[in-house]
Amino acid sequence: KILKAYTKHKSSISTLTYILVNAQDLGFRQMATVLLKRNLVNLYGNLSVEEQKEFRGLLLGQYIKETHLLVQKGIATLISILLPIV
């Protein structure tokens, strides 16, 4: 319940993105994609234009350098959610 509530807050997007990009553990990176997906549309809409641009860049960069297919699929899902919005 705590994670569910936290993922609704704007600050969660930066924390989860940090985990996605910097965590060594595969499970942490995958969980970050799952948690980001929960409220991505609402969270993304609350970001400034500059923050949105930075977030998109981080996702695309991580997609390219990600070596594990499971995490890469999670990032691809996040990108596909953002495509109609952008």
Side-chain angles (χ1 to χ4, degrees), residues 41 44 77-86:
V41 173
Y44 186 79
T77 300
L78 295 173
I79 293 169
S80 70
I81 292 169
L82 290 179
L83 282 177
I85 299 171
V86 180

Side-chain angles (χ1 to χ4, degrees), residues 13-55:
I13 198 167
S14 62
T15 304
L16 293 170
T17 303
Y18 178 83
I19 292 169
L20 177 63
V21 172
N22 295 304
Q24 298 295 321
D25 188 281
L26 169 67
F28 290 163
R29 293 195 313 273
Q30 184 189 3
M31 183 56 75
T33 63
V34 170
L35 294 173
L36 279 167
K37 187 173 80 169
R38 284 188 175 176
N39 294 301
L40 184 60
V41 173
N42 294 332
L43 292 173
Y44 186 79
N46 291 331
L47 297 175
S48 70
V49 173
E50 186 62 36
E51 291 170 324
Q52 289 177 351
K53 183 178 177 182
E54 182 180 351
F55 180 68

Side-chain angles (χ1 to χ4, degrees), residues 1-3 7 16 30 36 53 59-61 73 77 80:
K1 288 186 177 187
I2 294 171
L3 277 177
T7 58
L16 293 170
Q30 184 189 3
L36 279 167
K53 183 178 177 182
L59 279 182
L60 290 172
K73 284 183 180 181
T77 300
S80 70

